[in-house]
Amino acid sequence: MESENRYKNQKHKYANANKLNYDQKRTHSGRKQQSSGGKKYPEKSLMKGEIQNHSGRQMLCPVMKKCGGCRYQDISYEQQLEIKQAQVTKLLKPFCRVYPITGMEHPYHYRNKVHAVFDRLKDGTIISGVYEEKTHRVVPVDDCLIEDEKADAIIRDIRGMLRSFKIKTYDEDTGYGLLRHVLVRRGFATGQIMVVLVLGSPILPSKNNFIRELRKLHPEITTIVINVNDRKTSMVLGEKETVIYGKGYIEDILCGQTFHISPKSFYQVNPVQTEKLYQKAIELAGLTGKERVIDAYCGIGTIGICAANRAREVIGVELNRDAVRDAVRNAKMNEKKNISFYGADAGEFMTQMAAQGERADVLFMDPPRSGSSEAFMRAVVRLGPKRIVYISCNPETQARDLNYFTANGYRAQGAYPYDCFPFTGHTETVCLLVKSGKA
């Protein structure tokens, strides 16, 4: 309760809590159709089901072109890493040295979060899969090469249960039907599994029998949640939730710390690579136990909690109130008494800190793909942390932001790319910035 009370009693000190617009946009990922020092680029052999594309190169997924999630499935993993290394180097080399990319030893089935949309064909066949790129047409798929295999199996079996339980799939045009989406999250370290049934209305027919049948097929499921989304929207999850089995959350372990993950929480989808990235980020922070640290865009508190043992004080700031609640729980669960969390806009929070004469030594920032706003960066410069550890999932916006920081008293000292999204065009990069004239 100490950490939770500190959050409740002190959050007004720097900023007022803001209401979150939790933007859960539908995402695409390639699936199989239904029916660090020097170069360490692992070369992977092709899997069963490979096909040839028009150029004669082999592809692992027959819906690659429709899905749009895995643009690099027709080239070797070594080549993928070379492309990503070149992209990051081109963007960030003007600011600092770009170190060799850290790839995965086993770059398949790494996603711990799987989302499927459901639909019905004209002949009555129920399908599940992803939206075709830039459309709302559902591409029917069973297995995805980058998604957790257990999650895919659960989604397939839910699809197979719908007819016997007389559950209709939701029609976006008419608003008729019940099941819209299924979201599965798995803790890779703990094995715990959450299933979220996204419904157009709150009543699931024969709920107890449905739970019993699903757990008979998959006894490893530890919790089932109904999420109600009755709006015509492109967002996956609605506001209302009901736990119908288990605790309503799962736990996972990252960098030796345990994390509470609820349906709406942001949690990195590739925990294997995330652990490596976080270890590098904490190393770059140069913590000695005397520093005051801010973890901006902190989510459920992962980076801050992992760094807390090496800092004097950690302050986490996050707009998503569900994530803040999870962060408070996580700090308590991991017995971190030197960390506090605030539900606020990080830029406004730091501006108010600076106005009150407060200071911070280190800033961890992990903004969304769109990067940071100029208002946020102005607040950072005004607060003046000695070190900024900038984690980004988009090197293009990171380069844009580095341009601002380097023009306002900071210099970049090194960028380290991590392939957290094999077979896709995305790369995570962590970059250290220091105040000019200070190491």
Side-chain angles (χ1 to χ4, degrees):
M1 286 297 295
E2 181 180 353
S3 180
E4 189 166 3
N5 286 338
R6 182 160 59 245
Y7 164 64
K8 289 179 178 178
N9 295 333
Q10 296 183 356
K11 67 179 180 180
H12 64 277
K13 181 178 179 182
Y14 301 124
N16 294 322
N18 292 305
K19 184 177 180 181
L20 168 77
N21 291 318
Y22 187 69
D23 192 17
Q24 296 162 308
K25 298 294 184 182
R26 293 174 176 145
T27 57
H28 305 285
S29 58
R31 305 181 180 182
K32 287 185 179 178
Q33 205 158 10
Q34 287 171 21
S35 94
S36 160
K39 289 186 179 180
K40 295 182 180 178
Y41 298 160
E43 182 83 46
K44 294 296 165 187
S45 59
L46 293 173
M47 302 170 67
K48 289 184 178 180
E50 64 191 22
I51 61 174
Q52 298 286 117
N53 72 0
H54 65 278
S55 65
R57 294 185 295 185
Q58 291 170 313
M59 293 191 298
L60 303 180
C61 177
V63 298
M64 169 186 165
K65 299 300 182 182
K66 291 184 177 180
C67 166
C70 297
R71 66 173 66 177
Y72 293 148
Q73 283 202 10
D74 56 350
I75 60 177
S76 71
Y77 188 51
E78 182 178 27
Q79 290 174 298
Q80 295 176 41
L81 293 175
E82 289 173 350
I83 291 171
K84 292 182 178 185
Q85 179 77 52
Q87 290 172 336
V88 175
T89 299
K90 181 179 179 180
L91 289 164
L92 302 187
K93 189 177 180 180
F95 304 100
C96 60
R97 177 183 175 184
V98 178
Y99 290 83
I101 190 169
T102 299
M104 293 193 74
E105 184 179 358
H106 304 290
Y108 300 107
H109 305 297
Y110 57 84
R111 288 187 62 93
N112 58 14
K113 177 181 177 183
V114 179
H115 159 245
V117 60
F118 284 70
D119 201 2
R120 184 184 297 267
L121 300 179
K122 291 182 179 180
D123 64 3
T125 302
I126 299 173
I127 60 173
S128 61
V130 295
Y131 289 114
E132 184 175 342
E133 190 173 19
K134 298 179 181 179
T135 77
H136 272 206
R137 291 190 295 271
V138 178
V139 179
V141 294
D142 272 344
D143 301 295
C144 176
L145 294 167
I146 67 173
E147 291 177 349
D148 179 57
E149 293 176 284
K150 179 60 67 177
D152 282 344
I154 291 170
I155 290 169
R156 287 196 303 270
D157 286 331
I158 289 174
R159 189 181 72 228
M161 293 168 55
L162 298 184
R163 192 176 298 276
S164 62
F165 280 89
K166 298 180 180 179
I167 295 175
K168 303 285 188 181
T169 59
Y170 182 84
D171 186 300
E172 287 188 333
D173 295 326
T174 65
Y176 177 74
L178 183 63
L179 182 64
R180 299 183 70 156
H181 312 272
V182 171
L183 179 69
V184 181
R185 307 186 77 157
R186 184 166 80 89
F188 279 10
T190 63
Q192 296 178 19
I193 296 176
M194 171 195 299
V195 175
V196 182
L197 305 172
V198 184
L199 308 182
S201 63
I203 305 301
L204 178 66
S206 303
K207 177 184 68 178
N208 292 336
N209 289 334
F210 187 93
I211 295 169
R212 189 179 302 113
E213 180 64 22
L214 182 57
R215 292 206 68 252
K216 182 179 178 181
L217 295 170
H218 295 282
E220 65 275 15
I221 293 173
T222 52
T223 190
I224 304 173
V225 178
I226 289 177
N227 177 279
V228 181
N229 186 351
D230 55 5
R231 297 174 296 170
K232 288 192 174 183
T233 174
S234 61
M235 294 166 61
V236 175
L237 299 181
E239 293 296 322
K240 301 176 184 177
E241 289 180 353
T242 303
V243 179
I244 60 173
Y245 176 78
K247 297 180 179 180
Y249 63 90
I250 60 172
E251 294 175 351
D252 199 19
I253 299 171
L254 190 68
C255 297
Q257 309 299 312
T258 302
F259 292 97
H260 172 117
I261 305 163
S262 61
K264 295 179 183 177
S265 296
F266 173 79
Y267 184 67
Q268 294 278 4
V269 299
N270 185 339
V272 174
Q273 291 294 89
T274 297
E275 186 154 311
K276 298 175 186 176
L277 184 149
Y278 281 8
Q279 288 169 350
K280 174 58 68 175
I282 294 170
E283 174 191 323
L284 294 176
L287 300 176
T288 65
K290 299 178 180 180
E291 294 80 14
R292 191 183 204 193
V293 176
I294 294 179
D295 180 8
Y297 312 98
C298 72
I300 63 173
T302 48
I303 300 174
I305 288 172
C306 290
N309 285 349
R310 303 188 187 188
R312 174 174 60 86
E313 179 188 6
V314 178
I315 299 169
V317 189
E318 170 61 52
L319 195 58
N320 181 336
R321 59 183 179 273
D322 293 308
V324 171
R325 282 193 289 266
D326 282 344
V328 171
R329 293 190 192 100
N330 290 331
K332 181 179 179 182
M333 184 163 50
N334 290 284
E335 299 181 341
K336 306 298 182 187
K337 297 182 179 180
N338 63 335
I339 187 167
S340 305
F341 295 97
Y342 301 88
D345 174 85
E348 294 177 5
F349 182 93
M350 288 187 293
T351 297
Q352 292 186 37
M353 278 188 70
Q356 295 178 22
E358 300 280 357
R359 287 288 178 260
D361 302 297
V362 176
L363 169 70
F364 287 106
M365 54 181 290
D366 188 0
R369 191 173 300 280
S370 58
S372 292
S373 67
E374 189 169 333
F376 174 89
M377 291 186 286
R378 279 200 306 269
V380 173
V381 171
R382 185 178 179 188
L383 188 64
K386 298 174 184 177
R387 287 176 174 247
I388 301 171
V389 181
Y390 187 159
I391 299 170
S392 172
C393 58
N394 185 347
E396 291 185 1
T397 55
Q398 187 176 38
R400 180 202 67 198
D401 294 349
L402 290 185
N403 190 59
Y404 182 92
F405 282 123
T406 55
N408 286 276
Y410 285 87
R411 70 175 187 272
Q413 287 201 332
Y416 300 79
Y418 287 81
D419 187 25
C420 295
F421 314 102
F423 299 101
T424 77
H426 304 303
T427 309
E428 290 263 353
T429 306
V430 57
C431 181
L432 172 65
L433 296 110
V434 298
K435 287 194 78 170
S436 296
K438 301 205 176 176

